[in-house]
Amino acid sequence: MRRLLRVSSFRAVLVYLGLFLGSTGIVLLFLHGQINQALTTNNDKTVWRDAAMMNQSYALGGLSEVEELVAQQSQLSGVGVYLLADGLGRYIAGNVPAFPAPSDTQMQEDGWLHLRLQTPFAEARARLVRFDDNLVLLIGRDLSAQQATMDDLARSFLIALLLLAVFGVIGGGLMGRQALARVENINHSLRAIMSGDFSTRIAPTSSQDELADLAAQINEMLARIETLMLAMREVTDNLAHDLRSPLTRLRGRLEKLSLSAQKTAQAEDIEQGLEDIDQLLGLFTAVLNLSRMEAGTGDMQRELIGVKPLVDDVMELYQAVFEEAGWTIDYAVDSAAAEAHILGDRHLLAQALINLLENALIHGVGSASHLTVSLTCRNQQIIISVTDTGGGVAEDQLAHIRQRFVRLDESRSRPGNGLGLSLVDAICRRHGGHLHLSNHRPSGLRCEMCLRARE
Amino acid sequence: MRLLLVEDDHKAADLLVDRLRGDGDDVAHAENGEIGLAQAKQSEFDVLIVDRMMPEMDGLTMVHQLRQQGADTPVLFLTALDSVEDRVAGFEAGGDDYLVKPFAYEELRARLEALVRRKQPSQETTLKLADLTMDVIARRVTRGAQDIALQAREFSLLEYLLRHKGQVVTRSMLLENVWHYNFDTQTNVIDVHISRLRNKLDKEFDAPLLHTLRGRGFVLQSADKLGDL
C-alpha cells in the first residue's frame, strides 16, 4: 500500500477523487435545498387553495358552513392542520385542540408560522386566516412527511457519495497498480542494464501512452549507449593490439639478445629489461581490464554460480601460499551462504577474491599474521570477507585506497600497481554489489565483497 | 617440428621464425589468413601459430574454415586480445591454445610442445614415469613399493605433469589446466603447490623426478634425461 501511495497516478486519482467528491457533495446539498424548497412551495400552494376554499364557504354560508367544512377536512386522514377558533382563541372545530404556546410558535420571514404541535402532528407550517373579529382559522400542513422524504433523500445522497468514494479508490488502486507494474517493468530492465547487460531492452507494451513513449526513448538511448560502447570497445581493442605488437617485437629482440649475451655483463640488464616489459604489460592489462569493467564494456558471463565452491576453490589454491608464508588461517562459511548462488562470472569473482587475498599477503603482514576469510549470507546479501592482521589503513585513507593508482606511501616499496582494489570494486559493481573496506580491531584491514544472492 | 606461423607483423614474425629455427624447427611463414589457409592445406604441419588480428582474412576465420575442411592440425592463437570472451571465441573457432602478446618465448615453446604431443592419444588410465605409477581410475599413486597419498588437487596436478612428462610446463599452463583460471597472479602460488607435491613425491627417494627449470617452468622427468631439455 505504501508503495502504491508513491505512485503518481494513484495519488492523482486520490486528489481528483477528493475534488470530485467535494464538488458532488456541494451539488447534492444544493439539490437537497432546492427539492425541500419545491416541496414547501407546493405545500404552501395547497394551503392557500384550502384557505381560499374556506374563505369562500364563509362568504357563502357563514360560521356554520365553515365549521362543517373544517370538521370535514379534519376527518380526512392527511397532513392538513386546522384550528377554527373564536376571537378569544377558543376551539370551535379542527384537528388541533388549541393554539400552541408562544414558545412553540415561530414567525417566519415570509409571514408563515412554524409550529411545534402535539401528536399526532409534529411540526407544521401554517397561516392564520381571519374571517372577522370573532372567527380565526389556523390552516397549514404537517411537515413530518416532507422531512422524512428529505431525510431519506439525504441518506441516499450520502450512500451515493460513499459508493463513489469506494469505487474511486478501488479504480485508482487498480490504475496505480497497473502503472506500478509498468514502471516496475522499466526498473527491472534498468537494473539489468546498470549491472552491465547493455543488450537488455525494455519490453514494449500494447498501449501507446506516455509510459510507452518513455520506454521507447530509454530504448533508443540504450541503443546509442551500446553503439558508443562498441566503438569504445573497438578503440581499446585496437589500442591493445597497437601497443602489444611493438612490445612483442621488443620482447622478442631482448630475448634474442639474452641468448647471445648469456653470462656476459649485459645479461643482467637484458633480464631486467624483460622484467620491465612484463611489468609494463601487466600494468597496461590491468588498466585496460579496469576501464572495461568500469565502463561495462568488459565481457562478463552470466551463469548461476555456487558461491561456496567458488570461494573453496580459491581458498584451496591460496591456503598453501599463506601457510608457506607463516600465516594462520580461519575460513568459515555460514549455513545460509553454503547454498547461496550468484548470477555472474566465475572468473571475475575468483579474480576479485584472489586480488583481496594477494593484497592481504603483501600488505597485511603483522607480528603474527592471521587471515580470516568468511562467507556469510543475510537477507539475500552475500558477503565474502577477507581480514588480515596487518597495520590496517588510516581511517581517512580508507575511502581513497580503492581509487585507481592510489598507493599508500608505506606500500610503495611492495609489488603492485595500485589497481587491485579498484578492480575488485569494479567487479563487485558489475555484479550489482560493492566493496566495503573497514579497519579491524585491534589491527588489520577488512575487505568485504558484498554481492546480491540469486533466489 | 614443422610449424606454420601466420602473422602479419613482419618484424615480429622474423624474430619468432629466427628463434624457432634456431631451436631446430622447420618454420614456414604466411603473412595473412588467406595465404595461411592455402599453405596449411598444401602441406602437412605439426602445429599452426595463428595471429588473430590480420588484414584480408583474420585468424578466427582462417581456423574456422580450416576446421570445416576437416583439418585437425593443432592451432595456437597469438593475440593482443585477452578477455575471456576473446578466449572463448578462439576456442570455438577451433583453436587449441591461446597465448596473449607479448609472451615469453619459453611459454610459447612449452605450449607448442604440449600441443604437438597431445596429438598422440592420451586416454591411458595408468601413467608411468620411472618408478612412479598413477592409476587414474583407482586414484592411486605409488612410487616403487610405496603409496603416495595426495589430495584431490595434488592428484590433478601430478596427472597433468605425468601426461606431459618430459615436457616443460609453465606456471600459466598449470593455472589454466589444473585450476582453470586464466589470469596471472602476483604471488608464487604455483611454486608453492609444486614444492608441496615435490615434498611428497621426491623427498624420501634418491632420484628426484619433479624439477624446476629457472625462467621456463617445471618438468617431470628422470634426472638422467634432463639434458635434452
Short mmCIF file of all heavy atoms in Angstrom, two decimals, chain B residues 163-190:
data_model
loop_
_atom_site.label_atom_id
_atom_site.label_comp_id
_atom_site.label_asym_id
_atom_site.label_seq_id
_atom_site.Cartn_x
_atom_site.Cartn_y
_atom_site.Cartn_z
N ARG B 163 50.96 -36.60 -17.75
CA ARG B 163 50.51 -36.64 -19.14
C ARG B 163 51.42 -35.78 -20.03
O ARG B 163 51.42 -35.92 -21.24
CB ARG B 163 49.06 -36.16 -19.25
CG ARG B 163 48.05 -37.15 -18.69
CD ARG B 163 46.65 -36.85 -19.14
NE ARG B 163 45.67 -37.67 -18.41
CZ ARG B 163 45.37 -38.93 -18.73
NH1 ARG B 163 45.96 -39.51 -19.75
NH2 ARG B 163 44.49 -39.62 -18.02
N HIS B 164 52.17 -34.87 -19.43
CA HIS B 164 53.13 -34.06 -20.17
C HIS B 164 54.55 -34.36 -19.72
O HIS B 164 55.40 -33.46 -19.69
CB HIS B 164 52.81 -32.57 -20.02
CG HIS B 164 51.49 -32.18 -20.63
ND1 HIS B 164 50.31 -32.29 -19.95
CD2 HIS B 164 51.18 -31.71 -21.85
CE1 HIS B 164 49.32 -31.90 -20.72
NE2 HIS B 164 49.82 -31.54 -21.89
N LYS B 165 54.78 -35.59 -19.35
CA LYS B 165 56.10 -35.93 -18.79
C LYS B 165 57.20 -35.65 -19.83
O LYS B 165 56.98 -35.82 -21.04
CB LYS B 165 56.16 -37.40 -18.34
CG LYS B 165 55.99 -38.39 -19.47
CD LYS B 165 55.90 -39.79 -18.92
CE LYS B 165 55.58 -40.76 -20.06
NZ LYS B 165 55.26 -42.10 -19.59
N GLY B 166 58.31 -35.16 -19.33
CA GLY B 166 59.41 -34.85 -20.23
C GLY B 166 59.24 -33.53 -20.96
O GLY B 166 60.10 -33.13 -21.72
N GLN B 167 58.10 -32.86 -20.75
CA GLN B 167 57.89 -31.55 -21.39
C GLN B 167 57.95 -30.46 -20.34
O GLN B 167 57.54 -30.66 -19.21
CB GLN B 167 56.49 -31.46 -22.02
CG GLN B 167 56.21 -32.44 -23.10
CD GLN B 167 54.73 -32.39 -23.45
OE1 GLN B 167 54.10 -31.34 -23.46
NE2 GLN B 167 54.17 -33.55 -23.73
N VAL B 168 58.40 -29.29 -20.79
CA VAL B 168 58.37 -28.15 -19.88
C VAL B 168 56.92 -27.65 -19.79
O VAL B 168 56.28 -27.43 -20.80
CB VAL B 168 59.27 -27.02 -20.39
CG1 VAL B 168 59.24 -25.85 -19.41
CG2 VAL B 168 60.69 -27.53 -20.57
N VAL B 169 56.41 -27.53 -18.57
CA VAL B 169 55.11 -26.90 -18.42
C VAL B 169 55.31 -25.61 -17.62
O VAL B 169 56.08 -25.55 -16.68
CB VAL B 169 54.07 -27.80 -17.71
CG1 VAL B 169 53.77 -29.02 -18.54
CG2 VAL B 169 54.55 -28.20 -16.34
N THR B 170 54.62 -24.56 -18.06
CA THR B 170 54.81 -23.26 -17.42
C THR B 170 53.78 -23.05 -16.31
O THR B 170 52.80 -23.79 -16.21
CB THR B 170 54.66 -22.14 -18.45
OG1 THR B 170 53.33 -22.17 -18.95
CG2 THR B 170 55.63 -22.33 -19.60
N ARG B 171 54.01 -22.01 -15.52
CA ARG B 171 53.08 -21.69 -14.43
C ARG B 171 51.68 -21.40 -14.96
O ARG B 171 50.68 -21.87 -14.42
CB ARG B 171 53.60 -20.49 -13.64
CG ARG B 171 54.80 -20.83 -12.80
CD ARG B 171 55.46 -19.59 -12.21
NE ARG B 171 56.63 -19.99 -11.43
CZ ARG B 171 57.82 -20.30 -11.96
NH1 ARG B 171 58.00 -20.23 -13.26
NH2 ARG B 171 58.82 -20.66 -11.19
N SER B 172 51.64 -20.61 -16.06
CA SER B 172 50.30 -20.26 -16.53
C SER B 172 49.60 -21.46 -17.17
O SER B 172 48.38 -21.57 -17.11
CB SER B 172 50.35 -19.06 -17.49
OG SER B 172 51.16 -19.36 -18.59
N MET B 173 50.37 -22.41 -17.72
CA MET B 173 49.74 -23.63 -18.23
C MET B 173 49.09 -24.40 -17.08
O MET B 173 47.98 -24.92 -17.20
CB MET B 173 50.77 -24.53 -18.93
CG MET B 173 51.16 -24.06 -20.32
SD MET B 173 52.66 -24.88 -20.92
CE MET B 173 52.01 -26.43 -21.51
N LEU B 174 49.79 -24.47 -15.94
CA LEU B 174 49.24 -25.19 -14.79
C LEU B 174 48.02 -24.48 -14.23
O LEU B 174 47.00 -25.11 -13.93
CB LEU B 174 50.32 -25.35 -13.70
CG LEU B 174 51.46 -26.31 -14.06
CD1 LEU B 174 52.53 -26.29 -12.98
CD2 LEU B 174 50.93 -27.73 -14.25
N LEU B 175 48.13 -23.16 -14.12
CA LEU B 175 47.00 -22.40 -13.58
C LEU B 175 45.76 -22.58 -14.47
O LEU B 175 44.65 -22.73 -13.99
CB LEU B 175 47.38 -20.91 -13.48
CG LEU B 175 46.54 -20.05 -12.53
CD1 LEU B 175 46.59 -20.60 -11.12
CD2 LEU B 175 47.04 -18.62 -12.56
N GLU B 176 46.00 -22.61 -15.78
CA GLU B 176 44.89 -22.76 -16.73
C GLU B 176 44.31 -24.16 -16.73
O GLU B 176 43.11 -24.35 -16.74
CB GLU B 176 45.37 -22.46 -18.15
CG GLU B 176 45.26 -21.02 -18.57
CD GLU B 176 45.84 -20.82 -19.95
OE1 GLU B 176 45.54 -21.60 -20.87
OE2 GLU B 176 46.62 -19.87 -20.10
N ASN B 177 45.20 -25.16 -16.69
CA ASN B 177 44.72 -26.52 -16.92
C ASN B 177 44.41 -27.30 -15.65
O ASN B 177 43.61 -28.23 -15.68
CB ASN B 177 45.75 -27.30 -17.75
CG ASN B 177 45.84 -26.75 -19.16
OD1 ASN B 177 44.88 -26.82 -19.92
ND2 ASN B 177 46.98 -26.17 -19.51
N VAL B 178 45.03 -26.93 -14.54
CA VAL B 178 44.76 -27.66 -13.30
C VAL B 178 43.75 -26.91 -12.45
O VAL B 178 42.84 -27.48 -11.88
CB VAL B 178 46.07 -27.91 -12.51
CG1 VAL B 178 45.77 -28.65 -11.21
CG2 VAL B 178 47.05 -28.70 -13.36
N TRP B 179 43.89 -25.58 -12.40
CA TRP B 179 42.96 -24.78 -11.57
C TRP B 179 41.89 -24.08 -12.40
O TRP B 179 40.98 -23.50 -11.87
CB TRP B 179 43.74 -23.76 -10.73
CG TRP B 179 44.35 -24.39 -9.50
CD1 TRP B 179 43.74 -24.55 -8.29
CD2 TRP B 179 45.65 -24.94 -9.36
NE1 TRP B 179 44.57 -25.17 -7.42
CE2 TRP B 179 45.77 -25.42 -8.03
CE3 TRP B 179 46.74 -25.07 -10.22
CZ2 TRP B 179 46.92 -26.02 -7.56
CZ3 TRP B 179 47.88 -25.68 -9.74
CH2 TRP B 179 47.97 -26.15 -8.43
N HIS B 180 42.08 -24.08 -13.70
CA HIS B 180 41.12 -23.48 -14.62
C HIS B 180 40.94 -21.98 -14.42
O HIS B 180 39.83 -21.45 -14.59
CB HIS B 180 39.77 -24.21 -14.55
CG HIS B 180 39.92 -25.69 -14.68
ND1 HIS B 180 40.34 -26.28 -15.85
CD2 HIS B 180 39.78 -26.69 -13.77
CE1 HIS B 180 40.44 -27.60 -15.66
NE2 HIS B 180 40.11 -27.86 -14.39
N TYR B 181 41.98 -21.29 -14.04
CA TYR B 181 41.94 -19.83 -14.02
C TYR B 181 42.85 -19.34 -15.14
O TYR B 181 43.93 -19.89 -15.34
CB TYR B 181 42.49 -19.27 -12.70
CG TYR B 181 41.64 -19.61 -11.50
CD1 TYR B 181 42.20 -20.17 -10.37
CD2 TYR B 181 40.27 -19.34 -11.50
CE1 TYR B 181 41.42 -20.49 -9.25
CE2 TYR B 181 39.49 -19.65 -10.40
CZ TYR B 181 40.07 -20.22 -9.29
OH TYR B 181 39.30 -20.51 -8.21
N ASN B 182 42.40 -18.31 -15.87
CA ASN B 182 43.31 -17.84 -16.91
C ASN B 182 43.73 -16.39 -16.71
O ASN B 182 43.59 -15.56 -17.58
CB ASN B 182 42.72 -18.04 -18.30
CG ASN B 182 41.30 -17.57 -18.36
OD1 ASN B 182 40.95 -16.64 -17.64
ND2 ASN B 182 40.50 -18.17 -19.19
N PHE B 183 44.16 -16.07 -15.49
CA PHE B 183 44.75 -14.75 -15.29
C PHE B 183 46.03 -14.94 -14.48
O PHE B 183 46.20 -15.95 -13.80
CB PHE B 183 43.80 -13.82 -14.56
CG PHE B 183 43.02 -14.46 -13.46
CD1 PHE B 183 43.59 -14.65 -12.21
CD2 PHE B 183 41.73 -14.91 -13.69
CE1 PHE B 183 42.87 -15.26 -11.19
CE2 PHE B 183 41.01 -15.52 -12.68
CZ PHE B 183 41.58 -15.69 -11.44
N ASP B 184 46.90 -13.97 -14.58
CA ASP B 184 48.17 -14.10 -13.87
C ASP B 184 48.01 -13.67 -12.42
O ASP B 184 47.20 -12.81 -12.10
CB ASP B 184 49.23 -13.24 -14.56
CG ASP B 184 49.67 -13.89 -15.86
OD1 ASP B 184 49.64 -15.13 -15.92
OD2 ASP B 184 50.01 -13.15 -16.80
N THR B 185 48.77 -14.29 -11.56
CA THR B 185 48.72 -13.91 -10.16
C THR B 185 50.02 -13.20 -9.80
O THR B 185 51.02 -13.32 -10.50
CB THR B 185 48.57 -15.16 -9.27
OG1 THR B 185 49.68 -16.01 -9.52
CG2 THR B 185 47.29 -15.90 -9.59
N GLN B 186 49.95 -12.42 -8.72
CA GLN B 186 51.13 -11.65 -8.32
C GLN B 186 52.08 -12.47 -7.47
O GLN B 186 53.22 -12.11 -7.30
CB GLN B 186 50.69 -10.44 -7.49
CG GLN B 186 49.64 -9.59 -8.15
CD GLN B 186 50.20 -8.26 -8.57
OE1 GLN B 186 51.26 -7.84 -8.11
NE2 GLN B 186 49.50 -7.58 -9.44
N THR B 187 51.56 -13.56 -6.91
CA THR B 187 52.39 -14.31 -5.96
C THR B 187 52.82 -15.64 -6.57
O THR B 187 52.36 -16.06 -7.62
CB THR B 187 51.60 -14.56 -4.66
OG1 THR B 187 50.31 -15.00 -5.03
CG2 THR B 187 51.49 -13.31 -3.84
N ASN B 188 53.68 -16.32 -5.85
CA ASN B 188 54.29 -17.56 -6.35
C ASN B 188 53.40 -18.76 -6.05
O ASN B 188 53.88 -19.81 -5.64
CB ASN B 188 55.65 -17.74 -5.69
CG ASN B 188 55.51 -17.82 -4.17
OD1 ASN B 188 54.48 -17.42 -3.61
ND2 ASN B 188 56.53 -18.34 -3.51
N VAL B 189 52.10 -18.59 -6.27
CA VAL B 189 51.14 -19.59 -5.82
C VAL B 189 51.42 -20.98 -6.43
O VAL B 189 51.36 -21.99 -5.73
CB VAL B 189 49.70 -19.10 -6.06
CG1 VAL B 189 49.51 -18.55 -7.46
CG2 VAL B 189 48.69 -20.16 -5.78
N ILE B 190 51.78 -21.03 -7.71
CA ILE B 190 52.02 -22.34 -8.34
C ILE B 190 53.28 -22.99 -7.75
O ILE B 190 53.30 -24.19 -7.46
CB ILE B 190 52.16 -22.19 -9.87
CG1 ILE B 190 50.85 -21.65 -10.45
CG2 ILE B 190 52.53 -23.51 -10.52
CD1 ILE B 190 49.65 -22.54 -10.24
#
